[in-house]
Amino acid sequence: MRAAAVQLNSTDDTVRNLAAADRLTRAAAADGAELIVLPEKWNVLGSDEQILAGAEPLDGPAISWARATARELGVDLVAGSIAERRDDREKLSNTSVHVGPDGELKAVYRKIHMFDVVVGGVEYRESATEDPGDEVVVSETSDGVPLGLTVCYDLRFPELYRILAVRGARVVALPAAFTKVTGAAHWEILVRARAIENQSFVVAADQVGRSGDGKESFGGSMIVDPWGEVLARAPDEECFVAADLDLARQDQVRAELPSLANRVPDAYRWPGARVEAHA
């Protein structure tokens, strides 16, 4: 299976963002990609106010485009994540959608881990405008390959990736908008670590450059194999990178170094409240 990660420099200009996504998605498909992953919040990226203004429901322009384009091109398209507005909630969701080649929604994953941090003296408080999801999601490509869905900050939580692997994920999609500071320090290390420890392919599509509020994303979109080898890495510009995912090689890695099979679930216990109190 050939996969592609699309790297964008999204801003608060939703029309421009969609046009860039369309151009690069079509280029990736023309290069032979069967699975294409867009970055986090590709439809709108900027200040809280800008994201709120550009948010839309799942039947809005962004996902409607994704469905029509996946159908036209005959590809599995992970439409990154979008700022999703839901009728029953005051706050938004950071939502990743897998669309099949038939244009139908195969899976919807809402980002579980909220990015509430201080990086380089700049505060990010995702939970102020967004609700976290609470469901781990494994989808499946048109060829029957189990596909795990994650978003950005999820990368720092190996528990999620392990659950995806245990549930059968062979490929994990990672739309992201990693900050310039954390990306330079941790992006490649974490992406490769999640691939190695779960013996999975990771297709990591990152934002690059400055968004609508002037904050800068790292870029470095990459595709990593189950041995931790970087199969493709993007330069610092809007583009796509693609690589062939050798599933037979994955089977070999999992057979020869069977770390997933050698797990001992009965021995793994979360610390209880009393233990945590003395930690």
Side-chain angles (χ1 to χ4, degrees), residues 85-268:
R85 187 177 299 283
R86 302 164 72 185
D87 289 339
D88 59 341
R89 293 175 181 264
E90 180 180 346
K91 293 184 179 181
L92 307 177
S93 294
N94 191 342
T95 303
S96 183
V97 176
H98 172 210
V99 182
D102 57 0
E104 296 301 312
L105 300 186
K106 300 283 287 184
V108 175
Y109 167 70
R110 295 180 173 95
K111 184 180 177 184
I112 293 173
H113 301 100
M114 297 289 93
F115 192 56
D116 290 355
V117 306
V118 177
V119 174
V122 178
E123 183 177 17
Y124 297 79
R125 196 64 53 188
E126 200 169 42
S127 64
T129 56
E130 297 176 9
D131 284 327
D134 59 5
E135 182 183 1
V136 177
V137 177
V138 177
S139 189
E140 190 175 275
T141 71
S142 59
D143 291 332
V145 178
L147 174 67
L149 300 182
T150 66
V151 176
C152 200
Y153 192 45
D154 287 338
L155 182 63
R156 294 186 181 273
F157 298 86
E159 305 95 325
L160 173 59
Y161 280 71
R162 179 48 54 92
I163 292 169
L164 290 170
V166 170
R167 292 188 179 179
R170 301 190 64 167
V171 181
V172 178
L174 174 64
F178 246 64
T179 73
K180 187 76 169 179
V181 173
T182 59
H186 302 146
W187 171 252
E188 180 174 335
I189 295 169
L190 289 173
V191 173
R192 294 179 71 185
R194 297 295 87 86
I196 293 166
E197 66 199 9
N198 297 295
Q199 298 178 324
S200 301
F201 292 96
V202 178
V203 183
D206 201 17
Q207 292 278 357
V208 68
R210 297 191 181 277
S211 63
D213 60 353
K215 293 176 180 174
E216 190 170 7
S217 296
F218 177 68
S221 298
M222 60 175 59
I223 301 172
V224 179
D225 79 359
W227 194 249
E229 180 181 354
V230 178
L231 302 179
R233 178 165 181 150
D236 291 337
E237 60 188 31
E238 287 195 318
C239 62
F240 76 90
V241 292
D244 294 319
L245 310 188
D246 187 342
L247 299 176
R249 168 63 174 158
Q250 183 180 38
D251 289 337
Q252 180 183 6
V253 168
R254 289 184 170 186
E256 294 179 354
L257 203 167
S259 59
L260 290 175
N262 290 343
R263 294 172 58 254
V264 188
D266 290 344
Y268 309 145

Side-chain angles (χ1 to χ4, degrees), residues 62-72 77 99-100 102-105:
I63 301 305
S64 295
W65 164 84
R67 295 181 65 176
T69 302
R71 184 186 304 113
E72 177 188 348
L77 177 59
V99 182
D102 57 0
E104 296 301 312
L105 300 186

Side-chain angles (χ1 to χ4, degrees), residues 18 42-43 55-67 82 85:
L18 195 151
W42 64 272
N43 66 322
E56 58 187 71
L58 291 184
D59 60 357
I63 301 305
S64 295
W65 164 84
R67 295 181 65 176
I82 69 163
R85 187 177 299 283

